[in-house]
Amino acid sequence: MDKPLQLDDAARSILRQNCRGSYTVPTAKLYPFQWNWDSAFIACGLASFDIDRAWTELETLLAAQWRNGMVPHIVFHALDADYCPGPGTWGTEGVPASSGISQPPVASTIARGLYERDRKAGRKRMAAMFPKLLAWHRWFHVCRCESGAVAATHPWETGRDNAPDWDVALAEVDTSRIQPFKRSDLEHVEGDMRPTGLDYDRYMALVQFGREVGWDEEKIRSDGPFRVADPTLTFTLLRANRDLRAIAAEFCEPVAEIDHWIDCLEAGAATLWNPALGAYDSVDLRRGEASGSLSNASFLCWYAGINEPTMLGKLEEVLDKARFGVPSYAPDGAGFDSRRYWRGPVWAMMNMLIGIGLGEFGYAELARRIRNDVRLLILSGGFAEYFDPCDGAPAGGKNFSWTAAVWLAWATPTLKEGNDGIVTA
């Protein structure tokens, strides 16, 4: 059996091994619960060989939806006393227990993809899922879009936990009152691949603030120490709105509200343009200042349906400076670190979204280049959490579910030509 076919089998095996019944953990021990956008990508991979289980992955995630519509970024289906911050630290209500923040809403896009694979088999499940997805999108627009773009209240909410984007905003977070905690992540991954101790102190201070105000969105909006308009949340929600509208039209649901959201987010995305950087950037809403960060999130514009030709040159520059794929942060940036989590490494699923967006706008050569880079990384380094963009070395957690899913849905050369794993417009 040749290497791609072996990796196809290995990827399916990882998804099965990381399955915990009705949900899938990102990887054993390091991330022992269900993570929001991980599960969406995992469903995309599962659909390549078990579409029924793919639907179940999303349904399990949405079963943890809060009454206000928010879908949490972690769902604590089982107990694991070694993980921090666990449910007691978050102090949220509801069963199952969950975190108090959300994550990039790629689930609607993935759900549309599952439905498009088999409309007849998926119709009942899509009909049941639609109102939950609609309520989640509404929560974002009501609670997080005061500037037009989507605001994050915690770096973890963006999915790009320790990106340089947040450095200035996090510097103002008071850590003097945080309660003692133990970092379990350092027991499984080398410290130079993870956020620093100071970063974690600030993360925990933000969790403590949210718990103290009872996760009240109005209080978090007015008094929270961290509120940053984020390209990842903005671009993924804009794309998700477009896909949700397509679902609504398919099911003869009203679309006026969704059309309004799309218009608002298109305008909001424009507020993320940083003329000094010549690219999309995050904006600290407390200070009204751009971060000056050219990240992989900057290149999600095409995925969101925004064709910004200026970004093509930026992307080519970044690809030329990094040997493998689109790094999480520009290699010539002051905060670049090739091995440390979101400060430089290449993430397969972000590259997939960028590649899909480029392909949809006809930038086939760039899309192919990114896909081939990710393919080479996985062929040589396996299903790592992320990869060093300079030498291609695997880093972070091992046997990672969403890397396996990206391989099956998008990167493996055994796919038919043009199959992107996610339905395109």
Side-chain angles (χ1 to χ4, degrees):
M1 183 183 297
D2 63 12
K3 186 67 174 291
L5 288 174
Q6 290 176 346
L7 285 176
D8 289 354
D9 286 343
R12 288 188 285 265
S13 178
I14 286 171
L15 294 180
R16 292 186 180 109
Q17 290 169 10
N18 288 338
C19 176
R20 298 296 182 268
S22 63
Y23 68 96
T24 308
V25 300
T27 189
K29 297 183 179 179
L30 179 60
Y31 298 110
F33 306 109
Q34 183 177 27
W35 260 258
N36 187 319
W37 71 331
D38 288 71
S39 273
F41 289 113
I42 288 164
C44 190
L46 287 169
S48 68
F49 65 96
D50 189 345
I51 196 164
D52 177 71
R53 181 61 184 77
W55 278 110
T56 300
E57 188 74 26
L58 294 182
E59 289 162 349
T60 303
L61 172 66
L62 291 168
Q65 185 170 41
W66 286 21
R67 285 176 293 181
N68 66 0
M70 193 269 281
V71 180
H73 99 292
I74 307 175
V75 185
F76 300 104
H77 294 287
L79 295 177
D80 189 321
D82 293 331
Y83 182 81
C84 179
T89 305
W90 289 95
T92 60
E93 299 178 354
V95 178
S98 69
S99 64
I101 59 176
S102 197
Q103 257 189 338
V106 295
S108 292
T109 300
I110 304 301
R112 182 188 176 194
L114 299 185
Y115 176 66
E116 294 286 345
R117 280 178 177 266
D118 189 336
R119 284 182 170 85
K120 184 177 180 180
R123 189 164 187 83
K124 185 176 180 179
R125 300 178 95 158
M126 188 71 261
M129 190 174 291
F130 174 80
K132 296 181 179 182
L133 294 171
L134 184 71
W136 186 19
H137 289 216
R138 186 178 292 121
W139 173 83
F140 270 114
H141 283 277
V142 170
C143 297
R144 298 300 179 82
C145 291
E146 67 268 23
S147 70
V150 183
T153 63
H154 194 297
W156 289 340
E157 199 159 46
T158 71
R160 299 185 297 124
D161 301 19
N162 68 326
D165 301 48
W166 329 128
D167 288 354
V168 173
L170 281 176
E172 300 299 317
V173 175
D174 179 12
T175 62
S176 63
R177 296 176 49 250
I178 59 170
Q179 299 172 358
F181 66 94
K182 178 184 177 182
R183 288 183 62 178
S184 57
D185 62 319
L186 298 181
E187 297 176 5
H188 308 293
V189 177
E190 296 174 31
D192 67 347
M193 297 181 184
R194 298 292 296 172
T196 66
L198 179 57
D199 282 337
Y200 244 85
D201 286 348
R202 290 164 173 165
Y203 302 155
M204 296 301 287
L206 291 172
V207 172
Q208 187 168 309
F209 169 81
R211 184 183 69 240
E212 288 172 350
V213 300
W215 300 104
D216 183 301
E217 287 293 338
E218 287 301 319
K219 292 179 181 177
I220 292 171
R221 185 201 298 255
S222 62
D223 302 329
F226 183 94
R227 201 166 186 90
V228 180
D230 169 47
T232 313
L233 287 168
T234 301
F235 287 139
T236 56
L237 182 59
L238 178 51
R239 170 59 181 255
N241 280 339
R242 299 188 198 280
D243 288 311
L244 191 68
R245 191 199 188 283
I247 296 168
E250 178 80 10
F251 284 79
C252 299
E253 297 282 353
V255 298
E257 182 180 27
I258 304 174
D259 284 339
H260 176 65
W261 293 343
I262 291 170
D263 290 342
C264 289
L265 275 184
E266 286 178 342
T271 69
L272 299 179
W273 185 260
N274 181 347
L277 185 66
Y280 293 104
D281 193 4
S282 58
V283 177
D284 184 346
L285 297 179
R286 295 292 183 239
R287 295 160 190 79
E289 299 174 356
S291 72
S293 178
L294 182 62
S295 70
N296 50 9
S298 304
F299 301 112
L300 291 176
C301 53
W302 298 288
Y303 173 76
I306 298 174
N307 187 14
E308 177 47 65
T310 307
M311 292 298 297
L312 293 171
K314 288 289 184 182
L315 178 58
E316 290 172 339
E317 289 175 12
V318 167
L319 288 170
D320 289 341
K321 290 170 184 172
R323 294 182 60 192
F324 300 96
V326 184
S328 45
Y329 184 67
D332 57 355
F336 179 77
D337 186 329
S338 67
R339 285 165 52 90
R340 193 179 293 279
Y341 216 39
W342 288 90
R343 302 184 77 87
V346 173
W347 294 76
M349 84 293 180
M350 290 291 279
N351 276 250
M352 179 176 77
L353 300 186
I354 294 167
I356 288 170
L358 287 165
E360 289 174 345
F361 277 101
Y363 302 120
E365 185 176 346
L366 275 172
R368 191 177 302 112
R369 177 178 177 180
I370 292 169
R371 192 200 297 244
N372 287 339
D373 279 355
V374 172
R375 182 175 293 165
L376 289 172
L377 287 169
I378 296 175
L379 281 167
S380 62
F383 300 106
E385 184 177 5
Y386 46 86
F387 302 86
D388 189 313
C390 300
D391 61 13
K398 300 176 181 178
N399 298 322
F400 220 81
S401 292
W402 67 12
T403 310
V406 167
W407 174 263
L408 292 170
W410 180 72
T412 175
T414 63
L415 281 174
K416 293 180 180 180
E417 185 66 26
N419 186 340
D420 286 321
I422 294 176
V423 166
T424 58

